[in-house]
Amino acid sequence: MTEILESRNLTKSYSSFRNGSRGREEAGNNGERTEILKGIDLKIARGEFVSVMGPSGSGKSTLLYNLCGLDRFSSGSVRILGRELAEMSEKELAGMRLNEMGFVFQQIHLLKDLNLLDNILLSGYLRGNMSRRKIRTRAEELMERTGIGSLARHGITQASGGQLQRVGICRALINNPAILFGDEPTGALDSKSAAEIMELIRGIHADGTTVMLVTHDPKVAAMSERVVFMLDGRIAAEKSLGRFSGDGDEAKGRETELSRWLLETAN
Ligand code: ADP
């Protein structure tokens, strides 16, 4: 398999001080190190769809941030898209995130003075490798595809949570990323909007994009090909689910299979 991402013995520590406050960075002289990631070995193949599950506080989000270069890990290595993250400058990391990665988080941060279309266009313009006309056409197509075509000129206060999440997905896809990272992308949505967003993500994966999601929702994780279960900063177990066809009955079967496995694994 050709890996798009590989971490080896990845660790991340924070310092914790005697008075209980937590520092963002590595332990200083008067702090004790708390290891949040304790040696993660993970490979993700190009085109694969992987979900990361596990109890709250087990290190799922920390893992995601350290794999995509949004945070700096303490030791070990991460190779992504052919580059060693530790060897890259902040500027190079920012470029890689803009050009080759897409992000969908639970809370999407949009610029409130721009309409929905312009929020999407901005990421395309920042990359600047296509003409503005082409970027606009792609943004409009993405908005159509995600069912928000008629909202292009609306402000962000005129859209629902589910619609804003779609804007986030359009923005994540405007530069045609090789890999899409999501941290609880459906976490703030009602079940109908969540199902629609998942259907979109499934389509993005079907088009060949690698997807890595952090989620606590078995419905969401059941759509992925592989589930990685984290416990206390380590990968405690993995389950392969195979490729999902998109069929409703199959979805229910996968969710049941995954839920049973989670019950066994979490015990
Ligand atoms: P999960 O996503 O599984 O809920 P997180 O990765 O968010 O877990 O957090 C794992 C642990 O790391 C938690 O105990 C959290 O308090 C700690 N942590 C996360 N970010 C920081 C930080 N910036 N400074 C100190 N500790 C942190």
Side-chain angles (χ1 to χ4, degrees), residues 14 22-24 36 54-63 214:
Y14 291 109
R22 291 192 320 216
R24 287 200 58 82
I36 308 296
S56 181
S58 57
K60 304 180 295 295
S61 301
T62 305
L63 175 63
V214 166

Side-chain angles (χ1 to χ4, degrees), residues 57-127:
S58 57
K60 304 180 295 295
S61 301
T62 305
L63 175 63
L64 186 141
Y65 293 135
N66 282 279
L67 292 179
C68 68
L70 273 168
D71 201 355
R72 292 280 192 181
F73 46 89
S74 307
S75 68
S77 73
V78 175
R79 191 166 179 83
I80 183 164
L81 294 153
R83 304 283 307 271
E84 290 290 341
L85 279 192
E87 291 168 6
M88 294 173 75
S89 66
E90 292 303 321
K91 198 172 165 204
E92 286 172 322
L93 287 174
M96 183 188 249
R97 285 196 297 270
L98 179 67
N99 299 332
E100 297 178 83
M101 299 175 181
F103 297 91
V104 190
F105 297 127
Q106 181 169 344
Q107 299 296 341
I108 107 149
H109 298 285
L110 297 171
L111 297 174
K112 65 177 179 8
D113 294 332
L114 297 184
N115 67 32
L116 300 183
L117 174 65
D118 286 343
N119 262 287
I120 299 166
L121 289 176
L122 186 62
S123 288
Y125 291 169
L126 285 174
R127 184 182 186 189

Side-chain angles (χ1 to χ4, degrees), residues 14-262:
Y14 291 109
S15 57
S16 44
F17 296 94
R18 289 221 177 83
N19 65 8
S21 69
R22 291 192 320 216
R24 287 200 58 82
E25 292 312 321
E26 305 303 301
N29 295 333
N30 56 349
E32 276 173 35
R33 287 167 71 98
T34 308
E35 216 173 28
I36 308 296
L37 299 179
K38 300 177 178 169
I40 303 281
D41 292 315
L42 179 67
K43 287 181 185 177
I44 297 183
R46 201 168 270 277
E48 200 181 8
F49 182 171
V50 175
S51 291
V52 181
M53 300 190 84
S56 181
S58 57
K60 304 180 295 295
S61 301
T62 305
L63 175 63
L64 186 141
Y65 293 135
N66 282 279
L67 292 179
C68 68
L70 273 168
D71 201 355
R72 292 280 192 181
F73 46 89
S74 307
S75 68
S77 73
V78 175
R79 191 166 179 83
I80 183 164
L81 294 153
R83 304 283 307 271
E84 290 290 341
L85 279 192
E87 291 168 6
M88 294 173 75
S89 66
E90 292 303 321
K91 198 172 165 204
E92 286 172 322
L93 287 174
M96 183 188 249
R97 285 196 297 270
L98 179 67
N99 299 332
E100 297 178 83
M101 299 175 181
F103 297 91
V104 190
F105 297 127
Q106 181 169 344
Q107 299 296 341
I108 107 149
H109 298 285
L110 297 171
L111 297 174
K112 65 177 179 8
D113 294 332
L114 297 184
N115 67 32
L116 300 183
L117 174 65
D118 286 343
N119 262 287
I120 299 166
L121 289 176
L122 186 62
S123 288
Y125 291 169
L126 285 174
R127 184 182 186 189
N129 72 332
M130 275 197 288
S131 72
R132 290 200 165 206
R133 206 161 52 107
K134 281 204 175 122
I135 293 167
R136 176 174 285 266
T137 306
R138 178 164 167 81
E140 284 167 349
E141 277 168 10
L142 283 167
M143 289 189 91
E144 283 301 325
R145 229 174 87 195
T146 52
I148 51 169
S150 60
L151 303 181
R153 305 230 150 36
H154 283 48
I156 66 170
T157 53
Q158 297 169 289
S160 69
Q163 288 166 338
L164 291 178
Q165 198 58 311
R166 287 158 206 255
V167 175
I169 290 183
C170 294
R171 187 180 56 182
L173 295 180
I174 188 75
N175 294 330
N176 203 10
I179 181 163
L180 181 72
F181 290 99
D183 192 357
E184 303 283 7
T186 58
L189 302 179
D190 60 81
S191 58
K192 185 168 172 281
S193 305
E196 286 165 4
I197 294 298
M198 274 321 294
E199 187 50 32
L200 282 173
I201 293 179
R202 199 182 65 75
I204 292 159
H205 172 240
D207 288 345
T209 308
T210 309
V211 180
M212 178 182 168
L213 296 187
V214 166
T215 182
H216 64 270
D217 186 348
K219 249 196 180 63
V220 170
M223 293 194 174
S224 53
E225 294 171 296
R226 184 158 57 105
V227 177
V228 168
F229 189 82
M230 284 192 70
L231 209 53
D232 192 23
R234 298 179 206 278
I235 294 180
E238 281 197 34
K239 181 167 181 63
S240 184
L241 290 169
R243 210 173 168 98
F244 174 48
S245 69
D247 174 76
D249 287 338
E250 192 195 334
K252 283 198 193 102
R254 290 168 73 98
E255 195 188 329
T256 309
E257 185 187 343
L258 178 61
S259 302
R260 285 207 184 106
W261 177 78
L262 287 169

